[in-house]
């Protein structure tokens, strides 16, 4: 089965893009959990953060830098949260590594 986030990166299925460059794409989550909920992904397919960190740590840095820039663009001066769910217990449902950027409301801790 095709990877849905590879298809979004390729433009095969639509998404509300907020950022795109030669390495990183970011788009609004289809089921937002906060007023700002953006997913930041590498164009390259990597199954999870560990695989990406091993294969291409610079690209992991690119994801975080893009997320911080989008947070600034979205005026999240009061703060925001980056989340990388990993594996079943971590709540990962799409096996293409993605950073959740959440903001626009006060986020409680610990998460559920
Ligand atoms: P995970 O649970 O893997 O950490 O996060 C996957 C996220 O992707 C979920 O928040 C879900 O709402 C979002 N998502 C899944 N499929 C699509 C899609 O086709 N388009 C968009 N924009 N978001 C998606
Ligand atoms: Zn993929």
């Amino acid at each position: 089965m095709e990877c849905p986030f590879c298809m979004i990166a390729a433009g095969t299925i639509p998404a509300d893009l907020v950022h795109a460059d030669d390495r990183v794409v970011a788009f609004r989550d289809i089921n937002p959990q906060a007023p700002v909920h953006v997913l930041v992904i590498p164009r390259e397919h990597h199954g999870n953060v560990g695989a990406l960190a091993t294969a291409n740590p610079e690209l992991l840095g690119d994801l975080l830098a893009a997320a911080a820039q989008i947070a600034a663009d979205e005026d999240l001066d009061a703060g925001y949260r980056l989340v990388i769910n990993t594996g079943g217990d971590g709540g990962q449902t799409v096996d293409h590594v993605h950073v959740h950027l959440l903001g626009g409301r006060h986020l409680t801790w610990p998460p559920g």
Side-chain angles (χ1 to χ4, degrees):
M1 200 174 79
E2 273 282 356
C3 167
F5 287 1
C6 282
M7 293 174 80
I8 286 174
T12 311
I13 59 175
D16 185 0
L17 297 187
V18 298
H19 174 90
D21 63 38
D22 57 335
R23 286 165 295 179
V24 176
V25 175
F27 50 95
R28 297 193 192 280
D29 197 293
I30 203 168
N31 183 24
Q33 302 301 311
V36 175
H37 188 172
V38 170
L39 301 173
V40 186
I41 68 168
R43 287 190 182 276
E44 275 179 27
H45 181 93
H46 297 274
N48 60 41
V49 65
L52 173 59
T54 299
N56 193 342
E58 188 181 349
L59 184 54
L60 179 54
D62 293 337
L63 288 188
L64 298 180
Q69 183 58 56
I70 295 161
D73 295 344
E74 297 280 333
D75 299 320
L76 299 179
D77 307 322
Y80 59 89
R81 186 172 293 168
L82 303 181
V83 175
I84 306 176
N85 295 328
T86 305
D89 277 0
Q92 184 175 7
T93 59
V94 176
D95 289 332
H96 180 131
V97 63
H98 48 282
V99 177
H100 293 258
L101 165 62
L102 296 152
R105 66 171 171 84
H106 183 74
L107 299 163
T108 58
W109 190 265

